[in-house]
Amino acid sequence: MESSAVGMWKGTSKGWVELFTHQKVQNGWQVHFWDNDCFKTIFYLLFGSIPNRTNPYSLFCLQREKKNLQDLNGVFVFNVAEREYLDRPTARLIKEFDRIEELFMKEIGSQYGIMSGSRENSLYNALWAAQALLRKGSAKTADKRILLFTNEDDPFGSITGATKMDMTRTTLQRAKDAQDLGISIELLPLSCPDEEFNVSAFYADLIGLEGDDLALFMPSVGDKLTDMKNQLRKRMFKKRVVRRITFSIVKGLSIELNTYALIRPTVPGTITWLDSITNLPLKTERSFICADTGALVQPTKRFHPYKNKNVKFTTEELSEVKRISTGHLRLLGFKPLSCLKDYHNLRPSTFVFPTDKEVVGSTCIFIALHRSMLRLKRFAVAFYGGSAHPQLVALVAQDEIIAGGVQVEPPGMHMIYLPYSDDIRHIEEARENFELLHSDITVPTPRATDDQIKKATALMRRIDLKDFSVCQFANPALQRHYAVLQALALEEDEMPEIKDETLPDEEGMARPGVVNALEEFKKSVYGENYNEEDEGHGKASDASKKRKAVAENAVKESAKYDWADLADNGRLKDLTTVELKYYLTVHNLAVGGKKEVLISRILTHMGK
Amino acid sequence: MARNKEALLLLLDVSPSMHTFLPEVEKLCSMLLQKKLIYSKNDEVGIVLFGTEDTNNELTKEVGGYEHVVVLRHIKVVDGDLVEALQQLPRGTVAGDFLDAIVVGMDMLIKKFGSTNKGKKRLCLITSALCPIKDPYEGTKEDQIGTIAEQMSAHGMKLECIVARGRLSGNVDMRIMDENDLLLKLFSTKTTAKTLYVETPTSLLGALRTRSIAPVTIFRGDLELSPKMRIKVWVYKKTAEERFPTLKQYSDQAPPTDKFATHEVKVDFEYKSVEESSKVVPPEQRIKGYRYGPQVIPISSAEWEAVKFKPEKGVKLLGFTDASNVMRHYYMHDVNIFIAEPSNTKAMLAVSALARAMKEMNKVAILRCVWRQGQGSVVIGILTPNVSDKDDIPDSFYFNVLPYAEDVREFQFPSFSNLPASWQPNEEQQEAADNLVKMLDLAPSGSKETLLPDLTPNPVLERFYRHLELKSKHPDAAVPPLDESLKKITEPDPKLLSQNKPIIDAFRRRFELKENPKLKKSTRRLLRERPSGLNEEASMGDGSDGQAIKSIENTSTVGVEKIGDSTPIQDFEAMMSCRDSPEWVGKAINEMKNKIFDLVEDSYEGDNYLKALEYLVALRKGCVLEQEPKQFNDFLHHLYKYCEKHNLNSFCESLASKEIMLINKTEAADSEVTEDEARSLMVKKEPKLE
C-alpha cells in the first residue's frame, strides 16, 4: 500500500499561469492554470488513467480558506462527498479536480504566498496537515509520501529578519519530524520560463539534498514538464521482483538474479461480474459433471485421444513430462548478436539484475559477463527451465543509457524468449506452392533494381522520425476505456473524445518534399499510369470469379420473385432450394442447410 | 481426397554413413507420423529405405536396376503400424543412392495419384549424401536431375531434403560429397525443393516441421505509405507458440461395458450473489463490471459496443527511423511476416525496394495496424526488412508489436559503476569472463550454429508425444527419461565444456561465491563497511531490496587487539594509539562503528542508547584526533538514516541532547561540513530514495 499527500504550493510572484500557459498575466491573478493539458496529465498519472490502482491519496492546497482537521490557517484539504480525506481516488474527485481552477479562483485560492508581516506559515501548516493525514497505517506496511509541487523556490523570501529565521527553522523541523515518522517528502519543482528554480534557496534543506545530489537534482527533475511526467511515473510504480532465479554459469558456479517485468501489456483491468438487476457482485461456482452419467465427479485424470483410444494421464505424470530441467537458468553458451534474428521472439522480454542477497559475489560475476558480452557483441543462450514454460532464452546485455539526467535504459540483461522449431513457420517459402498450383513456368522472383532502391532510400530520408522513441504513444483503446468508465461513473451523458495519437501525421505527409518522394518511388516501382485496383485482381482466383458470377446471377434472379408476398402466403415451400438460395445470396445470408432451415432463415431475415 | 490431405513419402538413407543418426531419424519420423495420427488422420504415408542389403521395389521388377532400395511400407493412410515400422529401422550395409530412391518414390506417387493432388505430394529425403551416385545409362547426372525435376513439377510434388552429417571423419570422399551437394542444389533451382543441412542429432530432430498447419492470413490489404501510395500485402504469423496439448478431463463414471461412453467431463458454472449464496443468477442476467477506484461500474456489452474505441481497418506507415532507436527487448509479441500479394509483381517490387533500402540504410518502419474491421484496439509496431538471399524466395518484412506508454514500467536501477568496489570485477576476473564469452561459442566460424531456434525441437512436446505412444501400448508406462539429444537443449554440451575446460576452470578460480551467512540465520541486518566515496544509491545494494545491508565479514580482525565487550572504549583508544601500522586506526574505527550499530539495532526501548552514545562520543573524539572526519560523518549519516527508517527517533533526540554532531571544518580540515551545517544535522535529512 502506498499513500501520498499531494501538496500544491502556489507562490507569490510566479504563478502557474505563466508556467502552464505561457501567457502574460493581466489584471492581477487570472488563474488559468488548468488550461494546459500537461498538468492534467500528471494528475491523471496519479489518479485518472490508472483507476485500478487503489492507493489512498489525499489532496490539499495552501489556500486562503481553511478547511482541515486541525483548523490550520491557509491549508485547504480538497475533497468530495463520500470520501475520506485520505482515500482512494473516486470518479467524483477526479471530476471535481477538473474544476479546481474555477474553485481556486472563487473559493479556495489565497493568491498569495507567505507575506511579510503575517505570522502565518502556510507551508509549515501544510506539512503538518499532510503528516496528520498520513498518520493512518504503520510505517512498515505503508509507503507514505508527500509530493510537493511548487514554483516558489524561496517561500520565505518576502520576509526578513528573525521571523524568517524562525519560520525557516520551524518548517524544516516540521519536515524532519514528518520524515522521522517514515514519511518521505518529494519535491517536484516547476520552473518558470525565465527563472530557474533554485533548490538551494530553501528546499535543499527541506528534502535533505547535499553535495553531488544537489547538483544532480535539478537536471534530474528538469524544467520541462515531459521530464517531470517521466520522473513522476518512475516514482509511481513500486519496483517489484517477479522472481529470484539461480543462474548456473558453469558447474558449481551459480549466481542469484532478480527478474523484473519492465514491459508488459497493460489491460483494461479485471472484470467483476455483477447481477444486472441488483448490481451486486457475483461469485462463480464450478462443478464437474460426467457427460455419460450426469453424476457430479471430481476428475483426477486427463486423456488424449490417440489411435482410436483414450490414453489417460494423471496430473503427476503430466507435470513429470514437463519437468525437463531443474528450474534454474542454465548457461549453454554464447553467440554473436547477429545470430539473434528479428523473428526470434515470442513474448515480452524479462529484465534480469543481479543480487548479492543470498549468494555474495553474484553481482561481480554478472558485471564481468555483462561487460564482456557488450564488448564482444555477443549474447548468451541459456535454458530457463521453469515447470510452466521451459524454454530457450537469449540473454542480451544492455548498457545503461542516461539522457537528461534520467536513466532511460537500466544496466542489466534482457531475457528474450526464443521460439522452438515447432513455433516457426516458413511462410515466405509458401510462395512456391502458390506458383506450383497456379502457373507452370517458374517466374524468377522479382527483385528491386538499384534505381528503385535509390528512390526508396530517398523516400526514407524524407519520412524520417528522428526522435522516435518506443512507448511515446498512449494506447488509444485503453485511454478510451478509462474515459468511458469515468463518464459512466459520473453519469455524464456525453462520451469524451480521446485523441488518437497513433494516426499518421497527415500534415507532414502532405509536405511537397514527401509527396514528391512518394510520387517518384511510386513511378519507379509501379510505372506510369498505374491503376492499383486492376493490379493483383487480374489474376483473381477462379473461386472468387465464380462467387462473383453467382452473386450477380442471384441479384438478377431474385428480382423475379415477390418475396414478401410468397412469405406472407406461406408459399416459400413451393420454391426449390435453388430459388430460395437466390434470396439468401442477395442478402448475404448463409446458404447451407435443409429446405426448412432455408425458409426459416428467410422468414427470420424478413422479420416474420 | 480431402482438401488439406497430404501424401508423404519418406525416403530414408540407412546406409552405414547414416547409422549414427538413425536413432534420431526413427524418433523424428515417428513423431511426424504420431502428429499426423492426431492432427491429420487422413494423410497418407509411405516409407522407402535405401542403402539396404535387399532390394524390393516395383521399378526393379519392371525395368531392372534400382538395387538396394526397399519399399518398407506402401502408401497408406497413417496408422499405428507405420509408427511402429519406423521405430525399428533396419541398419543397411551398403552405400545408398539417393537419386534411385527419389525415382522409386516418384514412381510410387505417380502410380498412386497420377497428376491429381498437385502440391499435396511430398517427398522427404533424409540422407548423409556421402555415397556416390551411379552414372545414368545415358546423359549426365545433371541431365537426369533435370528430367526428374521436370517430372516432379509436372506432377506437383515437393522435395524436402535433410542432409545429416556429423563431424566429418577422415575417410569421407570430399569429391563425392561436393558433387552430391551440387546435385541436391540443382533440385532447388529446377523445382520446389528445399535442402537443409544438419550437424547434430538435436538439430535433426528439429529439422522437419512435424505438424503441418495451414497458414492463415491475419490481414490482406494495403500497406499504406500515404493515402496515395499503397502496397498490397498479406500478413501471416511467422512465429506462433505451439502449445502443450490441452487434455480433456476424464470421467470413470461410465460402466466399463458401455462401449459408447465418451468419458468426458462437462464443466458447469453457476453464478451466485456474494451475499445470497442460495440464489442462482442465470448467465444472461449477468453484466460486466469494471473497477474504477473503489467503485465497480456495470457496463452491458451492447452499451460497451456503442461507446468503445473503433478504429478503421488498415495498416498505415507512420514513418521510418533508425534501427537503433528501437531496441530488441521492446518486441512484445510473436512475429508477423508481411509478404507482397502473391503473383502481384509490382507489389513484390515495391516490397523488395523498401526492404533493401531499409536494410542498406539500417532503418526500420513504424506502422499503425488494425488487422480486422471491428477490432477494438490498434497496435503500433516495427517493420524490419527480411532480405532473402535465395533466388526463389521473395523479400519480405518482419513485424513486431511495440509497447505503449502504459506498458512500460520505468524502474530505476543503480549504475554498475556506482556499486561498491568489492562488487567490481578486477582485471583478471574481467579477462576470465572475456575468455568464457569468447570460447563458450555456439556459433563457431566454419561450423554450423548449434541450438539454432529454427532447428531446435521443443523437448517437452517431444517427450509428451513419446510418452503418449508408450502409453497407447502399455497404459502404465512410466514417463520416458529425456534422451541425450534433447538434453543438449536443456544442459550445456559436455563436449563444448571439455574442450574449454582450462577456460572454465580459470573462470571458476577467479570468482568466489559464498552463501550470505547472516541471511539464513536471521533477518537482522548488520552494518556493512562502506568504502569511502560510496553514494546512497550503492548502499541500496542489489537495487531490489535497498534495506538489505549485507555484512562482509572482516575476517582480519581476529587478534589480540580487538575491541572486547568489557572495556570497549579503552580498547578502542588503545587501538587508535597503536602506531606500528596505519591499519590499526581504520580497523579500530570500523570495529567501533559495528559495535555502536549493533547496540542501536539490538536495543529494546532504548536500553542500549546510553552505552551507544558513550561509544559514539569516544569515536568522535578518536576521529577528530586522527583527522578522519569523513569516517565519522558518513557513519553518523548512516546511523541517522537507519534510525529514521526504523522509527528510532528517541535515539536521534538523545544525540541532539548530547550534542553529538558532525565533525566540522574547524575541528578537522578534511571535513566538508561547516560548523553551521554540522549543527543543523538534527533538522536536515535526506528523504528516502525510492
Side-chain angles (χ1 to χ4, degrees):
Chain A
M1 199 171 78
E2 183 184 77
S3 355
S4 308
V6 181
M8 277 166 292
W9 161 253
K10 193 182 71 63
T12 45
S13 54
K14 298 149 246 179
W16 286 355
V17 187
E18 287 173 83
L19 182 77
F20 289 111
T21 61
H22 298 275
Q23 286 168 358
K24 274 277 160 222
V25 190
Q26 294 162 349
N27 313 330
W29 284 94
Q30 287 280 330
V31 185
H32 287 296
F33 52 96
W34 303 109
D35 285 0
N36 194 295
D37 285 339
C38 289
F39 200 84
K40 276 193 184 164
T41 321
I42 292 170
F43 175 73
Y44 281 119
L45 264 170
L46 286 169
F47 317 107
S49 67
I50 320 167
N52 304 321
R53 297 166 58 81
T54 51
N55 297 326
Y57 284 100
S58 171
L59 278 170
F60 64 92
C61 312
L62 309 170
Q63 313 309 343
R64 170 181 60 195
E65 292 298 316
K66 57 183 180 185
K67 182 191 170 197
N68 55 65
L69 289 172
Q70 293 89 348
D71 208 19
L72 295 165
N73 278 325
V75 177
F76 183 91
V77 179
F78 185 81
N79 203 7
V80 290
E82 295 167 39
R83 186 179 173 275
E84 308 246 327
Y85 278 142
L86 183 70
D87 203 346
R88 292 177 293 184
T90 61
R92 184 172 300 280
L93 179 80
I94 292 166
K95 193 181 180 188
E96 282 291 303
F97 197 82
D98 276 351
R99 285 180 51 230
I100 201 162
E101 172 190 346
E102 191 186 320
L103 283 170
F104 197 88
M105 221 22 237
K106 283 198 196 128
E107 296 162 30
I108 352 176
S110 69
Q111 299 160 24
Y112 304 108
I114 297 161
M115 300 298 285
S116 55
S118 156
R119 299 297 303 168
E120 281 305 330
N121 181 346
S122 51
L123 182 59
Y124 174 88
N125 288 349
L127 287 173
W128 193 3
Q131 184 188 326
L133 284 173
L134 289 168
R135 202 161 36 198
K136 211 160 72 174
S138 87
K140 278 184 188 122
T141 54
D143 181 14
K144 297 178 179 180
R145 307 193 293 177
I146 297 175
L147 305 180
L148 188 65
F149 292 86
T150 182
N151 68 340
E152 175 61 273
D153 49 15
D154 190 9
F156 308 111
S158 57
I159 322 171
T160 47
T163 329
K164 178 173 180 175
M165 282 284 284
D166 187 45
M167 278 196 176
T168 311
R169 193 184 51 76
T170 49
T171 309
L172 290 176
Q173 182 61 41
R174 178 49 56 206
K176 183 191 152 283
D177 287 351
Q179 283 159 337
D180 285 347
L181 287 170
I183 300 170
S184 63
I185 301 178
E186 289 185 32
L187 176 71
L188 291 141
L190 311 165
S191 300
C192 298
D194 49 347
E195 241 173 302
E196 182 86 348
F197 190 97
N198 181 8
V199 182
S200 357
F202 171 75
Y203 283 102
D205 290 341
L206 185 90
I207 57 175
L209 286 178
E210 58 186 63
D212 289 348
D213 287 346
L214 185 60
L216 283 172
F217 184 75
M218 272 323 280
S220 78
V221 172
D223 50 351
K224 276 189 293 177
L225 266 167
T226 42
D227 283 353
M228 196 161 97
K229 218 165 91 184
N230 287 339
Q231 277 289 315
L232 194 57
R233 189 173 41 222
K234 283 184 185 178
R235 296 178 201 191
M236 292 318 293
F237 281 105
K238 186 97 186 140
K239 191 152 74 176
R240 244 180 229 118
V241 180
V242 178
R243 187 168 291 144
R244 175 166 302 149
I245 55 173
T246 309
F247 181 27
S248 150
I249 294 169
V250 290
K251 205 166 182 245
L253 205 64
S254 300
I255 63 171
E256 291 277 312
L257 300 176
N258 281 335
T259 61
Y260 300 86
L262 293 193
I263 301 160
R264 287 295 179 273
T266 306
V267 286
T270 45
I271 294 166
T272 316
W273 284 103
L274 305 173
D275 183 341
S276 60
I277 294 167
T278 59
N279 272 354
L280 286 173
L282 296 173
K283 61 179 178 198
T284 310
E285 278 180 12
R286 194 173 60 161
S287 49
F288 298 100
I289 294 162
C290 172
D292 301 317
T293 60
L296 274 178
V297 284
Q298 225 16 275
T300 52
K301 282 185 176 177
R302 291 173 174 271
F303 72 95
H304 197 285
Y306 180 61
K307 292 188 192 167
N308 301 323
K309 274 195 281 193
N310 286 336
V311 180
K312 283 169 271 179
F313 289 88
T314 61
T315 325
E316 293 77 43
E317 280 171 327
L318 287 175
S319 55
E320 178 60 33
V321 166
K322 291 180 190 171
R323 197 181 304 124
I324 55 171
S325 175
T326 46
H328 299 321
L329 183 65
R330 245 189 160 142
L331 179 72
L332 303 179
F334 298 89
K335 288 182 187 178
L337 279 174
S338 59
C339 286
L340 185 65
K341 302 282 186 250
D342 282 337
Y343 64 91
H344 292 162
N345 207 67
L346 284 176
R347 280 179 285 145
S349 61
T350 299
F351 183 71
V352 296
F353 197 83
T355 167
D356 267 27
K357 194 167 183 181
E358 274 172 29
V359 183
V360 178
S362 296
T363 313
C364 182
I365 294 188
F366 187 88
I367 295 177
L369 288 176
H370 184 261
R371 282 199 189 133
S372 306
M373 282 157 69
L374 278 176
R375 192 158 56 217
L376 297 164
K377 297 197 170 50
R378 284 173 161 262
F379 69 93
V381 178
F383 190 78
Y384 185 36
S387 60
H389 228 110
Q391 209 161 12
L392 274 176
V393 295
L395 291 168
V396 181
Q398 172 65 52
D399 206 3
E400 185 178 28
I401 299 177
I402 293 175
V406 182
Q407 188 179 57
V408 185
E409 289 293 332
M413 295 190 198
H414 290 276
M415 192 153 94
I416 290 164
Y417 300 91
L418 298 175
Y420 288 118
S421 64
D422 315 57
D423 309 328
I424 299 173
R425 300 174 180 186
H426 302 283
I427 302 294
E428 54 271 50
E429 292 160 20
R431 191 191 77 98
E432 301 160 15
N433 303 343
F434 194 87
E435 293 288 318
L436 202 70
L437 284 171
H438 295 275
S439 67
D440 297 326
I441 353 130
T442 330
V443 202
T445 314
R447 285 271 191 270
T449 62
D450 285 347
D451 176 60
Q452 288 164 337
I453 296 173
K454 224 169 83 194
K455 292 282 181 342
T457 315
L459 174 69
M460 244 159 253
R461 289 220 174 83
R462 284 285 173 190
I463 323 178
D464 193 10
L465 305 171
K466 283 222 170 48
D467 8 83
F468 175 81
S469 86
V470 199
C471 63
Q472 68 181 30
F473 300 111
N475 185 345
L478 211 56
Q479 295 296 332
R480 173 90 189 165
H481 177 93
Y482 293 143
V484 167
L485 279 190
Q486 188 188 326
L488 288 172
L490 297 169
E491 290 161 6
E492 280 172 3
D493 294 331
E494 255 180 69
M495 283 299 154
E497 273 311 308
I498 291 293
K499 191 172 158 264
D500 187 351
E501 303 169 353
T502 63
L503 283 167
D505 168 22
E506 276 174 29
E507 263 174 53
M509 288 289 190
R511 278 199 312 263
V514 176
V515 173
N516 279 345
L518 272 166
E519 218 31 68
E520 289 271 301
F521 176 60
K522 190 175 177 181
K523 220 185 280 171
S524 158
V525 291
Y526 288 173
E528 304 274 354
N529 304 323
Y530 168 71
N531 188 345
E532 276 167 37
E533 295 313 311
D534 296 345
E535 189 68 26
H537 289 289
K539 277 192 180 177
S541 69
D542 296 345
S544 77
K545 270 185 200 157
K546 200 172 155 193
R547 220 177 292 134
K548 215 173 164 190
V550 168
E552 275 167 16
N553 186 39
V555 174
K556 216 162 62 197
E557 294 292 332
S558 168
K560 293 178 186 166
Y561 302 86
D562 182 356
W563 293 103
D565 181 56
L566 286 168
D568 285 341
N569 300 323
R571 279 171 47 219
L572 280 177
K573 63 180 190 307
D574 300 339
L575 301 180
T576 66
T577 50
V578 177
E579 290 170 308
L580 291 172
K581 279 176 186 168
Y582 291 145
Y583 181 90
L584 294 167
T585 321
V586 168
H587 292 92
N588 270 333
L589 298 170
V591 290
K594 289 185 178 171
K595 190 168 180 179
E596 299 90 88
V597 181
L598 299 185
I599 292 174
S600 78
R601 200 176 289 144
I602 293 175
L603 291 175
T604 323
H605 181 255
M606 289 174 157
K608 283 171 187 170
Chain B
M1 217 182 200
R3 228 158 73 88
N4 283 320
K5 198 164 129 179
E6 184 200 50
L8 170 72
L9 209 54
L10 294 168
L11 311 174
L12 309 176
D13 187 348
V14 293
S15 65
S17 64
M18 276 295 284
H19 284 187
T20 46
F21 281 103
L22 280 183
E24 273 68 38
V25 172
E26 286 166 356
K27 279 174 204 152
L28 174 68
C29 296
S30 40
M31 177 71 58
L32 178 75
L33 289 195
Q34 266 188 281
K35 289 204 183 162
K36 279 190 182 292
L37 270 173
I38 296 165
Y39 300 107
S40 36
K41 286 182 200 145
N42 299 317
D43 281 7
E44 295 180 69
V45 177
I47 308 168
V48 176
L49 306 179
F50 60 104
T52 48
E53 179 88 66
D54 312 329
T55 305
N56 174 19
N57 61 69
E58 282 183 24
L59 276 183
T60 189
K61 288 172 207 153
E62 287 164 14
V63 297
Y66 301 100
E67 290 94 3
H68 307 298
V69 179
V70 170
V71 177
L72 189 68
R73 290 290 186 280
H74 279 281
I75 301 171
K76 61 173 179 176
V77 173
V78 280
D79 57 9
D81 166 57
L82 277 166
V83 179
E84 260 163 58
L86 280 168
Q87 278 170 348
Q88 270 307 316
L89 289 177
R91 292 335 188 225
T93 50
V94 295
D97 181 335
F98 65 81
L99 217 49
D100 276 359
I102 291 176
V103 176
V104 170
M106 240 170 66
D107 176 63
M108 286 166 74
L109 282 173
I110 294 171
K111 277 182 181 146
K112 176 120 187 167
F113 301 108
S115 62
T116 57
N117 303 316
K118 275 190 183 169
K120 305 269 163 59
K121 284 175 287 190
R122 186 153 66 113
L123 289 166
C124 181
L125 172 72
I126 304 179
T127 178
S128 59
L130 289 175
C131 309
I133 301 296
K134 289 186 286 289
D135 278 317
Y137 296 118
E138 49 193 52
T140 61
K141 288 176 192 172
E142 284 77 15
D143 293 341
Q144 199 189 359
I145 293 212
T147 332
I148 296 172
E150 210 170 277
Q151 280 291 310
M152 282 169 108
S153 302
H155 286 94
M157 284 179 210
K158 282 184 281 181
L159 176 67
E160 211 174 329
C161 309
I162 297 169
V163 181
R165 282 181 196 143
R167 289 277 146 95
L168 294 174
S169 48
N171 53 10
V172 169
D173 190 332
M174 292 305 273
R175 196 189 51 80
I176 295 174
M177 192 176 93
D178 291 343
E179 187 192 17
N180 284 345
D181 285 353
L182 216 65
L183 292 177
L184 285 172
K185 209 176 160 211
L186 214 55
F187 269 114
S188 59
T189 53
K190 301 219 158 146
T191 181
T192 1
K194 180 176 151 186
T195 310
L196 210 60
Y197 289 85
V198 295
E199 264 185 2
T200 60
T202 317
S203 46
L204 177 61
L205 284 179
L208 207 58
R209 256 200 88 84
T210 44
R211 183 176 169 191
S212 54
I213 294 166
V216 179
T217 50
I218 53 175
F219 175 84
R220 290 184 191 196
D222 294 333
L223 164 60
E224 198 180 312
L225 300 188
S226 85
K228 286 195 187 121
M229 170 69 197
R230 300 147 189 269
I231 304 171
K232 294 239 177 270
V233 291
W234 287 13
V235 182
Y236 290 94
K237 282 226 177 271
K238 174 69 186 171
T239 60
E241 194 175 329
E242 179 158 346
R243 293 180 190 278
F244 195 82
T246 19
L247 277 67
K248 287 183 186 148
Q249 309 252 38
Y250 183 81
S251 158
D252 50 8
Q253 293 287 305
T257 48
D258 186 355
K259 287 276 187 303
F260 301 102
T262 58
H263 294 289
E264 281 177 24
V265 174
K266 277 196 293 191
V267 188
D268 196 48
F269 293 98
E270 275 188 349
Y271 306 95
K272 290 177 180 170
S273 167
V274 174
E275 278 156 31
E276 273 180 275
S277 53
S278 57
K279 210 178 108 203
V280 176
V281 178
E284 60 277 7
Q285 199 188 309
R286 293 177 308 154
I287 187 165
K288 276 180 190 171
Y290 288 96
R291 224 165 227 303
Y292 192 81
Q295 294 151 278
V296 177
I297 298 156
I299 306 176
S300 71
S301 14
E303 208 177 346
W304 192 241
E305 203 55 44
V307 296
K308 75 168 190 190
F309 182 64
K310 280 171 279 204
E312 280 290 307
K313 174 186 172 179
V315 172
K316 291 183 162 72
L317 173 82
L318 296 188
F320 299 93
T321 189
D322 288 334
S324 57
N325 274 349
V326 183
M327 275 170 232
R328 185 63 173 72
H329 58 261
Y330 283 111
Y331 289 15
M332 291 268 280
H333 281 299
D334 39 19
V335 185
N336 294 337
I337 183 165
F338 276 56
I339 59 166
E341 188 178 59
S343 78
N344 182 340
T345 325
K346 301 246 160 112
M348 279 185 202
L349 275 179
V351 168
S352 171
L354 277 182
R356 278 162 196 262
M358 275 158 80
K359 174 129 190 175
E360 209 170 87
M361 294 178 65
N362 209 10
K363 293 266 179 192
V364 295
I366 306 298
L367 301 187
R368 170 199 196 263
C369 306
V370 181
W371 308 118
R372 281 171 285 114
Q373 192 60 49
Q375 175 182 319
S377 62
V378 327
V379 290
I380 291 289
I382 173 177
L383 198 69
T384 54
N386 173 31
V387 172
S388 151
D389 48 5
K390 286 194 192 124
D391 287 338
D392 52 338
I393 297 173
D395 296 334
S396 53
F397 296 113
Y398 292 129
F399 174 84
N400 212 309
V401 176
L402 293 177
Y404 280 116
E406 291 92 340
D407 305 336
V408 179
R409 299 164 208 179
E410 296 172 54
F411 298 151
Q412 297 275 309
F413 289 89
S415 304
F416 284 158
S417 52
N418 283 347
L419 293 177
S422 64
W423 292 5
Q424 307 287 350
N426 57 31
E427 256 174 58
E428 287 102 31
Q429 287 175 328
Q430 192 61 55
E431 196 193 327
D434 279 356
N435 284 335
L436 189 79
V437 173
K438 233 181 282 174
M439 299 311 293
L440 216 60
D441 195 355
L442 295 177
S445 52
S447 171
K448 283 243 147 193
E449 178 186 342
T450 46
L451 291 175
L452 185 75
D454 307 64
L455 290 177
T456 310
N458 184 340
V460 174
L461 291 181
E462 294 278 324
R463 199 182 193 191
F464 172 74
Y465 286 112
R466 255 170 237 174
H467 191 205
L468 183 68
E469 169 70 19
L470 286 178
K471 275 211 154 200
S472 72
K473 288 180 207 150
H474 310 285
D476 298 324
V479 181
L482 205 61
D483 54 48
E484 280 308 311
S485 48
L486 292 178
K487 264 198 184 139
K488 297 263 168 59
I489 303 166
T490 66
E491 283 169 24
D493 185 2
K495 220 189 264 168
L496 188 68
L497 291 184
S498 62
Q499 273 167 13
N500 295 303
K501 194 167 182 306
I503 282 158
I504 291 164
D505 286 344
F507 187 82
R508 209 180 278 140
R509 263 199 316 277
R510 290 277 173 237
F511 290 97
E512 196 194 354
L513 285 179
K514 58 182 172 200
E515 294 263 310
N516 194 348
K518 294 291 180 291
L519 195 84
K520 289 271 158 64
K521 280 178 235 146
S522 70
T523 50
R524 71 181 212 137
R525 294 173 213 100
L526 289 179
L527 174 69
R528 185 163 49 91
E529 274 185 62
R530 303 208 299 163
S532 54
L534 187 65
N535 69 12
E536 176 59 24
E537 201 169 28
S539 81
M540 310 259 292
D542 50 33
S544 60
D545 15 45
Q547 77 274 43
I549 298 164
K550 266 142 261 128
S551 106
I552 290 172
E553 277 181 307
N554 201 345
T555 44
S556 59
T557 49
V558 202
V560 200
E561 304 288 346
K562 191 177 180 322
I563 298 182
D565 283 323
S566 45
T567 54
I569 294 180
Q570 282 83 341
D571 289 356
F572 172 70
E573 279 166 2
M575 269 171 92
M576 289 291 273
S577 54
C578 251
R579 287 288 159 211
D580 52 356
S581 157
E583 271 170 46
W584 289 116
V585 174
K587 202 177 275 177
I589 292 175
N590 282 335
E591 287 223 33
M592 200 61 185
K593 282 183 188 172
N594 281 331
K595 207 138 216 116
I596 298 169
F597 198 82
D598 283 353
L599 278 174
V600 174
E601 193 191 38
D602 292 341
S603 90
Y604 177 71
E605 294 199 349
D607 53 358
N608 284 338
Y609 284 175
L610 269 181
K611 234 185 200 170
L613 288 170
E614 237 177 273
Y615 294 176
L616 208 54
V617 171
L619 180 67
R620 192 172 188 280
K621 203 171 123 199
C623 286
V624 173
L625 270 174
E626 294 299 329
Q627 292 288 299
E628 293 275 6
K630 190 156 176 45
Q631 288 260 22
F632 180 79
N633 288 354
D634 283 354
F635 176 68
L636 199 61
H637 274 299
H638 182 79
L639 210 56
Y640 260 116
K641 251 169 239 152
Y642 178 81
C643 294
E644 183 188 312
K645 230 177 242 169
H646 299 273
N647 284 339
L648 302 173
N649 297 315
S650 50
F651 185 68
C652 297
E653 277 160 30
S654 35
L655 278 177
S657 66
K658 287 262 175 190
E659 291 213 330
I660 300 175
M661 52 187 117
L662 298 177
I663 300 175
N664 59 43
K665 274 204 176 100
T666 49
E667 290 169 278
D670 288 351
S671 172
E672 297 157 358
V673 186
T674 64
E675 206 170 333
D676 284 351
E677 278 172 336
R679 245 173 237 294
S680 65
L681 176 76
M682 305 316 152
V683 285
K684 163 176 154 185
K685 289 286 175 50
E686 278 184 11
K688 268 190 291 175
L689 287 180
E690 173 52 44

